[in-house]
Amino acid sequence: MKKKGFTLVELIGVLVVLGLIGLIAIPTVNSSLKKYKQSLYDDAIKNIEQAAKNWGADNIGKLPNAIDSSLTMSYPNIDSEQKFSVLKIRIRDLQEAGYIGSEIKNPKKSSNFCNCAIVTITKTPTGYTYQILNDDYGITLLEADQNGCAC
């Protein structure tokens, strides 16, 4: 009389094949997820920088006015009479002015960007450069405290 079912060798063979498929598929899926998160992060950074550009277009008189100066101004305490080359504006200020939404997700950390993250606007010979300084780029808690919030 013949028994129905699989032999132990057949079951081990199936498990080995599934294990090999897993060894190939898991790193590929992880790599794809990392690339996707990086892409989302880059888009979020570009959106914040675009919001700063829009703010600058609407507030052209408050933008940095000197290329050679090492003086940095912080929004809203801007002295437009003084020559300065760098302006720091917080994400919070861009949110309050309506240039970006109230919460911006940081896909790398699965949380929101810190409202105290700073966008620097720097005067260059050809125009302005915009760069976000958040905790990934080295914002310190001291800077956050000086800006009236903790991240």
Side-chain angles (χ1 to χ4, degrees):
M1 183 182 250
K2 200 170 190 184
K3 292 185 177 182
K4 293 183 179 181
F6 296 106
T7 65
L8 181 60
V9 172
E10 292 172 328
L11 289 174
I12 290 174
V14 168
L15 289 175
V16 166
V17 169
L18 289 175
L20 290 174
I21 291 172
L23 284 173
I24 294 169
I26 289 174
T28 304
V29 169
N30 281 340
S31 173
S32 296
L33 285 174
K34 283 182 183 178
K35 287 179 184 176
Y36 178 69
K37 283 186 177 184
Q38 183 64 43
S39 172
L40 287 176
Y41 180 80
D42 293 342
D43 287 344
I45 294 295
K46 285 178 188 172
N47 288 338
I48 294 169
E49 289 174 353
Q50 185 61 47
K53 289 177 185 179
N54 292 342
W55 178 91
D58 291 344
N59 297 280
I60 196 122
K62 296 178 182 177
L63 288 175
N65 52 22
I67 297 171
D68 299 335
S69 170
S70 63
L71 184 61
T72 299
M73 293 280 178
S74 293
Y75 180 82
N77 304 322
I78 301 169
D79 182 359
S80 57
E81 300 296 319
Q82 195 167 11
K83 296 290 183 192
F84 64 103
S85 59
V86 179
L87 173 66
K88 290 183 177 182
I89 184 168
R90 296 176 301 179
I91 287 181
R92 174 193 286 172
D93 298 322
L94 294 171
Q95 289 170 333
E96 289 172 357
Y99 291 97
I100 50 180
S102 60
E103 292 182 358
I104 304 169
K105 296 284 183 196
N106 181 344
K108 283 186 174 180
K109 296 186 175 186
S110 300
S111 62
N112 293 332
F113 278 98
C114 177
N115 287 342
C116 295
I118 296 169
V119 179
T120 60
I121 304 171
T122 307
K123 178 78 169 156
T124 65
T126 58
Y128 296 95
T129 60
Y130 299 80
Q131 182 181 15
I132 182 169
L133 303 176
N134 63 16
D135 45 9
D136 290 335
Y137 289 106
I139 186 173
T140 64
L141 290 176
L142 177 62
E143 285 177 298
D145 290 340
Q146 289 171 348
N147 287 306
C149 59
C151 301

Coordinates of all heavy atoms in Angstrom, one line a residue, residues 24-98:
I24 N 18.3 35.7 -2.8 CA 18.4 36.6 -4.0 C 17.5 37.8 -3.9 O 17.8 38.9 -4.2 CB 18.2 35.8 -5.3 CG1 19.3 34.7 -5.4 CG2 18.1 36.7 -6.5 CD1 18.9 33.7 -6.5
A25 N 16.3 37.6 -3.4 CA 15.2 38.6 -3.5 C 15.3 39.6 -2.4 O 15.1 40.8 -2.6 CB 13.8 37.9 -3.4
I26 N 15.7 39.2 -1.2 CA 15.7 40.2 0.0 C 16.6 41.3 -0.2 O 16.3 42.5 0.0 CB 15.9 39.4 1.3 CG1 14.6 38.6 1.6 CG2 16.2 40.4 2.4 CD1 14.8 37.7 2.8
P27 N 17.9 41.1 -0.6 CA 18.8 42.2 -0.8 C 18.3 43.2 -1.9 O 18.4 44.4 -1.9 CB 20.1 41.6 -1.2 CG 20.1 40.2 -0.6 CD 18.6 39.8 -0.7
T28 N 17.7 42.6 -3.0 CA 17.2 43.4 -4.1 C 16.0 44.3 -3.6 O 16.0 45.5 -3.9 CB 16.7 42.5 -5.2 OG1 17.8 41.6 -5.6 CG2 16.3 43.3 -6.4
V29 N 15.1 43.7 -2.8 CA 14.0 44.5 -2.3 C 14.5 45.6 -1.4 O 14.1 46.7 -1.4 CB 13.0 43.6 -1.6 CG1 11.9 44.3 -0.9 CG2 12.3 42.6 -2.7
N30 N 15.4 45.2 -0.5 CA 16.0 46.2 0.4 C 16.7 47.4 -0.3 O 16.5 48.6 0.0 CB 17.0 45.6 1.4 CG 16.3 44.9 2.5 OD1 15.1 45.1 2.8 ND2 17.0 44.0 3.2
S31 N 17.4 47.1 -1.3 CA 18.1 48.1 -2.1 C 17.1 49.0 -2.8 O 17.2 50.2 -2.8 CB 19.0 47.4 -3.2 OG 19.5 48.4 -4.0
S32 N 16.0 48.4 -3.4 CA 15.0 49.2 -4.0 C 14.3 50.1 -3.0 O 14.0 51.3 -3.3 CB 13.9 48.3 -4.7 OG 14.5 47.5 -5.7
L33 N 14.0 49.6 -1.8 CA 13.4 50.4 -0.8 C 14.3 51.6 -0.4 O 13.8 52.7 -0.2 CB 13.0 49.6 0.4 CG 11.8 48.7 0.3 CD1 11.6 47.8 1.5 CD2 10.5 49.5 0.0
K34 N 15.6 51.4 -0.2 CA 16.5 52.4 0.1 C 16.5 53.5 -0.9 O 16.5 54.7 -0.7 CB 17.9 51.9 0.4 CG 18.0 51.2 1.7 CD 19.5 50.7 1.9 CE 19.6 50.0 3.2 NZ 20.9 49.4 3.5
K35 N 16.6 53.1 -2.2 CA 16.6 54.0 -3.3 C 15.3 54.8 -3.3 O 15.3 56.0 -3.6 CB 16.8 53.3 -4.6 CG 18.2 52.8 -4.9 CD 18.3 52.1 -6.2 CE 19.7 51.5 -6.4 NZ 19.8 50.7 -7.6
Y36 N 14.2 54.2 -3.1 CA 12.9 54.9 -3.0 C 12.8 55.9 -1.9 O 12.4 57.0 -2.1 CB 11.8 53.8 -2.9 CG 10.4 54.4 -2.8 CD1 9.8 55.0 -3.9 CD2 9.7 54.4 -1.6 CE1 8.5 55.6 -3.8 CE2 8.4 54.9 -1.5 CZ 7.8 55.5 -2.6 OH 6.6 56.1 -2.5
K37 N 13.3 55.5 -0.7 CA 13.3 56.5 0.4 C 14.2 57.7 0.1 O 13.9 58.8 0.4 CB 13.7 55.8 1.7 CG 12.6 55.0 2.3 CD 13.0 54.4 3.7 CE 11.9 53.7 4.3 NZ 12.2 53.2 5.6
Q38 N 15.4 57.4 -0.5 CA 16.3 58.5 -0.9 C 15.7 59.4 -1.9 O 15.8 60.6 -1.8 CB 17.6 57.9 -1.4 CG 18.7 58.9 -1.7 CD 19.1 59.7 -0.5 OE1 19.3 59.2 0.6 NE2 19.2 61.0 -0.6
S39 N 15.0 58.8 -2.8 CA 14.3 59.7 -3.8 C 13.2 60.5 -3.2 O 13.1 61.7 -3.5 CB 13.7 58.7 -4.9 OG 12.9 59.5 -5.8
L40 N 12.4 60.0 -2.3 CA 11.4 60.8 -1.5 C 12.1 61.9 -0.7 O 11.6 63.0 -0.6 CB 10.6 59.8 -0.6 CG 9.6 58.9 -1.3 CD1 8.9 58.0 -0.3 CD2 8.6 59.7 -2.1
Y41 N 13.2 61.5 -0.1 CA 13.9 62.5 0.7 C 14.4 63.7 -0.1 O 14.3 64.8 0.2 CB 15.1 61.8 1.4 CG 15.9 62.7 2.3 CD1 15.5 63.1 3.6 CD2 17.1 63.3 1.9 CE1 16.2 63.9 4.4 CE2 17.9 64.1 2.6 CZ 17.4 64.4 3.9 OH 18.2 65.3 4.7
D42 N 15.0 63.3 -1.3 CA 15.5 64.3 -2.2 C 14.4 65.3 -2.7 O 14.6 66.5 -2.8 CB 16.3 63.7 -3.4 CG 17.5 63.0 -3.0 OD1 18.1 63.3 -1.9 OD2 18.0 62.1 -3.8
D43 N 13.3 64.7 -3.0 CA 12.1 65.5 -3.4 C 11.6 66.4 -2.3 O 11.3 67.6 -2.5 CB 10.9 64.6 -3.8 CG 11.2 63.9 -5.2 OD1 12.1 64.3 -5.9 OD2 10.5 62.9 -5.5
A44 N 11.6 65.9 -1.0 CA 11.2 66.8 0.1 C 12.2 67.9 0.3 O 11.8 69.1 0.5 CB 11.2 65.9 1.4
I45 N 13.5 67.7 0.1 CA 14.5 68.7 0.2 C 14.3 69.7 -0.9 O 14.3 71.0 -0.7 CB 15.9 68.1 0.2 CG1 16.2 67.3 1.4 CG2 17.0 69.2 0.0 CD1 16.2 68.0 2.7
K46 N 14.1 69.3 -2.1 CA 13.8 70.2 -3.2 C 12.6 71.0 -3.0 O 12.5 72.2 -3.3 CB 13.7 69.4 -4.5 CG 15.0 68.9 -5.1 CD 14.8 68.0 -6.3 CE 16.1 67.4 -6.7 NZ 15.9 66.4 -7.8
N47 N 11.5 70.4 -2.4 CA 10.3 71.2 -2.1 C 10.6 72.3 -1.1 O 10.0 73.4 -1.2 CB 9.2 70.3 -1.7 CG 8.6 69.4 -2.8 OD1 8.7 69.8 -4.0 ND2 8.0 68.3 -2.4
I48 N 11.3 72.0 -0.1 CA 11.7 73.0 0.9 C 12.5 74.1 0.3 O 12.2 75.3 0.5 CB 12.4 72.3 2.1 CG1 11.4 71.4 2.9 CG2 12.9 73.4 3.1 CD1 12.1 70.5 3.9
E49 N 13.5 73.7 -0.5 CA 14.3 74.7 -1.1 C 13.5 75.6 -2.1 O 13.7 76.8 -2.2 CB 15.5 74.1 -1.8 CG 16.5 73.5 -0.8 CD 17.6 72.7 -1.5 OE1 17.6 72.5 -2.7 OE2 18.6 72.4 -0.7
Q50 N 12.5 75.0 -2.8 CA 11.7 75.7 -3.7 C 10.8 76.7 -2.9 O 10.5 77.8 -3.4 CB 10.8 74.8 -4.5 CG 10.0 75.5 -5.6 CD 10.8 76.3 -6.6 OE1 11.8 75.7 -7.1 NE2 10.4 77.5 -6.9
A51 N 10.3 76.3 -1.7 CA 9.6 77.2 -0.9 C 10.4 78.4 -0.5 O 9.9 79.5 -0.5 CB 9.1 76.4 0.3
A52 N 11.7 78.2 -0.2 CA 12.6 79.3 0.1 C 12.8 80.2 -1.1 O 12.9 81.4 -0.9 CB 13.9 78.7 0.7
K53 N 12.9 79.6 -2.3 CA 13.0 80.4 -3.5 C 11.8 81.3 -3.7 O 11.9 82.4 -4.0 CB 13.3 79.5 -4.7 CG 14.6 78.9 -4.7 CD 14.8 78.0 -5.9 CE 16.1 77.3 -5.9 NZ 16.3 76.3 -7.0
N54 N 10.6 80.7 -3.5 CA 9.4 81.4 -3.6 C 9.3 82.6 -2.6 O 8.9 83.7 -2.9 CB 8.2 80.5 -3.5 CG 8.0 79.5 -4.6 OD1 8.6 79.7 -5.7 ND2 7.3 78.5 -4.4
W55 N 9.7 82.3 -1.3 CA 9.8 83.3 -0.3 C 10.7 84.4 -0.8 O 10.4 85.6 -0.6 CB 10.2 82.7 1.0 CG 10.4 83.7 2.1 CD1 9.4 84.1 3.0 CD2 11.5 84.5 2.4 NE1 9.9 85.1 3.8 CE2 11.2 85.4 3.5 CE3 12.8 84.6 1.9 CZ2 12.0 86.3 4.0 CZ3 13.7 85.5 2.4 CH2 13.3 86.3 3.5
G56 N 11.9 84.0 -1.3 CA 12.9 85.0 -1.7 C 12.3 85.9 -2.9 O 12.6 87.1 -2.9
A57 N 11.6 85.3 -3.8 CA 11.0 86.1 -4.9 C 10.0 87.1 -4.4 O 9.9 88.2 -4.9 CB 10.3 85.1 -5.9
D58 N 9.2 86.7 -3.3 CA 8.3 87.6 -2.7 C 8.9 88.6 -1.8 O 8.3 89.6 -1.5 CB 7.2 86.8 -2.0 CG 6.3 86.0 -2.9 OD1 6.3 86.3 -4.1 OD2 5.6 85.1 -2.4
N59 N 10.1 88.4 -1.3 CA 10.7 89.2 -0.3 C 12.1 89.6 -0.8 O 13.1 89.5 -0.1 CB 10.8 88.5 1.0 CG 9.5 88.2 1.6 OD1 8.9 89.1 2.2 ND2 9.0 87.0 1.5
I60 N 12.2 90.1 -2.0 CA 13.5 90.3 -2.7 C 14.4 91.3 -1.9 O 15.6 91.2 -1.9 CB 13.3 90.7 -4.1 CG1 14.7 90.6 -4.9 CG2 12.8 92.1 -4.3 CD1 14.6 89.7 -6.0
G61 N 13.7 92.3 -1.2 CA 14.5 93.3 -0.5 C 15.1 92.7 0.8 O 16.0 93.4 1.4
K62 N 14.7 91.5 1.2 CA 15.3 90.9 2.4 C 16.4 89.9 2.1 O 17.0 89.4 3.0 CB 14.2 90.2 3.2 CG 13.1 91.2 3.7 CD 12.0 90.5 4.5 CE 11.0 91.5 4.9 NZ 9.9 90.8 5.6
L63 N 16.6 89.7 0.8 CA 17.7 88.7 0.5 C 19.1 89.2 0.7 O 19.2 90.5 0.7 CB 17.5 88.3 -1.0 CG 16.3 87.4 -1.3 CD1 16.2 87.2 -2.8 CD2 16.3 86.1 -0.6
P64 N 20.1 88.4 0.8 CA 21.4 88.8 1.0 C 21.9 89.8 -0.1 O 21.5 89.6 -1.3 CB 22.3 87.5 1.0 CG 21.3 86.5 1.4 CD 20.0 86.9 0.9
N65 N 22.7 90.8 0.2 CA 23.0 91.8 -0.7 C 24.5 91.9 -1.0 O 24.9 92.9 -1.6 CB 22.4 93.1 -0.3 CG 22.8 93.5 1.1 OD1 23.7 93.0 1.7 ND2 22.0 94.3 1.8
A66 N 25.3 91.0 -0.4 CA 26.8 91.2 -0.6 C 27.4 89.8 -0.9 O 26.9 88.8 -0.3 CB 27.4 91.7 0.6
I67 N 28.3 89.8 -1.8 CA 29.0 88.5 -2.1 C 30.2 88.3 -1.2 O 30.4 87.1 -0.7 CB 29.5 88.5 -3.6 CG1 28.2 88.6 -4.5 CG2 30.3 87.3 -3.9 CD1 28.6 88.8 -5.9
D68 N 30.9 89.3 -0.8 CA 32.2 89.1 -0.1 C 32.0 89.1 1.4 O 32.9 88.7 2.1 CB 33.1 90.3 -0.5 CG 33.5 90.3 -1.9 OD1 33.4 89.2 -2.5 OD2 33.8 91.4 -2.5
S69 N 30.9 89.6 1.9 CA 30.7 89.6 3.4 C 30.5 88.3 4.0 O 29.9 87.4 3.4 CB 29.4 90.5 3.7 OG 29.1 90.4 5.0
S70 N 31.0 88.1 5.2 CA 30.8 86.8 5.9 C 29.7 87.0 6.9 O 29.5 86.0 7.7 CB 32.1 86.4 6.5 OG 32.5 87.3 7.5
L71 N 29.0 88.1 6.9 CA 28.0 88.3 7.9 C 26.7 87.5 7.5 O 26.3 87.4 6.4 CB 27.6 89.8 7.9 CG 26.6 90.3 8.9 CD1 27.1 90.0 10.3 CD2 26.3 91.8 8.8
T72 N 26.1 86.9 8.5 CA 24.9 86.1 8.4 C 23.8 86.8 9.1 O 23.9 87.2 10.3 CB 25.1 84.7 8.9 OG1 26.2 84.1 8.2 CG2 23.9 83.9 8.8
M73 N 22.6 86.9 8.4 CA 21.4 87.4 9.1 C 20.5 86.2 9.2 O 20.5 85.3 8.5 CB 20.8 88.5 8.2 CG 21.6 89.7 8.0 SD 21.3 90.8 9.5 CE 22.4 92.1 9.0
S74 N 19.6 86.4 10.2 CA 18.5 85.4 10.5 C 17.2 86.0 10.4 O 17.0 87.1 10.9 CB 18.7 84.7 11.8 OG 19.9 84.0 11.9
Y75 N 16.3 85.4 9.6 CA 14.9 85.9 9.5 C 14.2 85.7 10.9 O 14.4 84.6 11.5 CB 14.2 85.1 8.4 CG 12.8 85.6 8.2 CD1 12.5 86.7 7.5 CD2 11.7 84.9 8.8 CE1 11.2 87.1 7.3 CE2 10.4 85.3 8.7 CZ 10.1 86.4 7.9 OH 8.9 86.8 7.8
P76 N 13.5 86.6 11.4 CA 13.0 87.8 10.8 C 13.9 89.0 11.1 O 13.5 90.2 10.8 CB 11.6 88.0 11.4 CG 11.7 87.4 12.8 CD 12.7 86.3 12.6
N77 N 15.0 88.8 11.9 CA 15.8 90.0 12.3 C 16.8 90.3 11.2 O 18.0 90.1 11.3 CB 16.6 89.6 13.5 CG 15.7 89.2 14.7 OD1 14.6 89.8 14.8 ND2 16.0 88.2 15.4
I78 N 16.3 90.9 10.1 CA 17.1 91.3 9.0 C 17.3 92.8 8.9 O 16.4 93.5 9.0 CB 16.4 90.8 7.6 CG1 16.2 89.3 7.7 CG2 17.3 91.2 6.4 CD1 15.3 88.9 6.5
D79 N 18.6 93.1 8.8 CA 18.9 94.6 8.7 C 19.3 94.7 7.2 O 20.5 94.5 6.8 CB 20.1 95.0 9.6 CG 20.4 96.4 9.5 OD1 19.8 97.1 8.7 OD2 21.3 96.8 10.2
S80 N 18.4 95.1 6.4 CA 18.6 95.3 4.9 C 19.6 96.4 4.6 O 20.1 96.5 3.5 CB 17.3 95.4 4.2 OG 16.6 96.5 4.6
E81 N 19.9 97.3 5.6 CA 20.8 98.4 5.3 C 22.3 97.8 5.5 O 23.2 98.5 4.9 CB 20.6 99.5 6.4 CG 19.2 100.1 6.3 CD 19.0 100.8 5.0 OE1 19.9 101.5 4.5 OE2 17.8 100.7 4.5
Q82 N 22.4 96.7 6.1 CA 23.8 96.2 6.4 C 24.1 95.2 5.3 O 23.2 94.5 4.8 CB 23.8 95.5 7.7 CG 25.2 95.2 8.2 CD 25.2 94.8 9.7 OE1 24.1 94.6 10.3 NE2 26.3 94.8 10.3
K83 N 25.4 95.1 4.8 CA 25.8 94.2 3.8 C 26.0 92.8 4.4 O 26.7 92.7 5.4 CB 27.1 94.6 3.2 CG 27.0 95.9 2.4 CD 26.2 95.7 1.2 CE 26.2 97.0 0.4 NZ 25.2 97.0 -0.7
F84 N 25.3 91.8 3.9 CA 25.4 90.5 4.4 C 25.3 89.5 3.3 O 24.7 89.8 2.2 CB 24.4 90.2 5.5 CG 22.9 90.2 5.0 CD1 22.2 89.0 4.8 CD2 22.3 91.4 4.9 CE1 20.9 89.0 4.4 CE2 20.9 91.4 4.4 CZ 20.3 90.3 4.2
S85 N 25.9 88.3 3.4 CA 26.0 87.4 2.3 C 25.1 86.1 2.5 O 24.8 85.4 1.6 CB 27.4 86.9 2.0 OG 28.0 86.4 3.2
V86 N 24.7 85.8 3.8 CA 23.9 84.6 4.1 C 22.7 85.0 4.9 O 22.8 85.8 5.9 CB 24.8 83.6 4.8 CG1 24.0 82.3 5.2 CG2 26.0 83.2 4.0
L87 N 21.6 84.4 4.5 CA 20.4 84.6 5.3 C 19.9 83.2 5.7 O 19.9 82.3 4.9 CB 19.3 85.3 4.4 CG 17.9 85.4 5.1 CD1 17.9 86.3 6.3 CD2 16.9 85.8 4.1
K88 N 19.6 83.1 7.0 CA 19.0 81.8 7.5 C 17.5 82.0 7.8 O 17.2 83.0 8.5 CB 19.7 81.4 8.8 CG 21.2 81.0 8.6 CD 21.8 80.6 10.0 CE 23.2 80.0 9.8 NZ 23.7 79.6 11.1
I89 N 16.7 81.1 7.3 CA 15.3 81.1 7.5 C 14.9 79.7 7.9 O 15.3 78.8 7.3 CB 14.5 81.7 6.3 CG1 13.0 81.8 6.7 CG2 14.7 80.9 5.1 CD1 12.2 82.6 5.6
R90 N 14.0 79.7 9.0 CA 13.6 78.3 9.5 C 12.4 77.8 8.7 O 11.7 78.6 8.1 CB 13.1 78.5 10.9 CG 14.2 78.8 11.9 CD 13.6 79.0 13.3 NE 12.6 80.1 13.2 CZ 11.9 80.5 14.3 NH1 12.0 79.9 15.4 NH2 11.0 81.4 14.1
I91 N 12.3 76.5 8.7 CA 11.1 75.9 8.0 C 9.9 76.4 8.7 O 8.9 76.7 8.0 CB 11.2 74.3 8.1 CG1 12.3 73.8 7.2 CG2 9.9 73.7 7.8 CD1 12.4 72.3 7.2
R92 N 9.9 76.6 10.0 CA 8.7 77.2 10.7 C 8.3 78.5 10.1 O 7.1 78.7 9.9 CB 9.0 77.3 12.2 CG 7.9 78.0 12.9 CD 8.3 78.5 14.3 NE 8.4 77.3 15.2 CZ 8.9 77.4 16.4 NH1 9.3 78.5 16.9 NH2 8.9 76.3 17.1
D93 N 9.2 79.4 9.8 CA 8.9 80.7 9.2 C 8.3 80.5 7.8 O 7.3 81.2 7.4 CB 10.1 81.6 9.1 CG 10.7 81.9 10.5 OD1 9.9 82.1 11.4 OD2 11.9 81.9 10.6
L94 N 8.8 79.5 7.0 CA 8.2 79.3 5.7 C 6.8 78.7 5.8 O 5.9 79.0 5.0 CB 9.1 78.3 4.9 CG 10.5 78.9 4.5 CD1 11.3 77.8 3.9 CD2 10.3 80.0 3.6
Q95 N 6.6 77.9 6.9 CA 5.2 77.3 7.1 C 4.3 78.4 7.5 O 3.2 78.5 7.0 CB 5.3 76.3 8.2 CG 6.0 75.0 7.8 CD 6.3 74.1 8.9 OE1 6.4 74.5 10.1 NE2 6.4 72.8 8.6
E96 N 4.7 79.3 8.4 CA 3.8 80.4 8.9 C 3.5 81.4 7.8 O 2.4 81.9 7.8 CB 4.5 81.1 10.1 CG 4.5 80.3 11.3 CD 5.3 80.9 12.5 OE1 5.9 82.0 12.3 OE2 5.4 80.2 13.6
A97 N 4.4 81.5 6.8 CA 4.1 82.4 5.7 C 3.3 81.7 4.6 O 3.0 82.4 3.6 CB 5.5 82.9 5.1
G98 N 3.1 80.4 4.8 CA 2.2 79.7 3.8 C 2.9 79.2 2.6 O 2.3 78.8 1.6

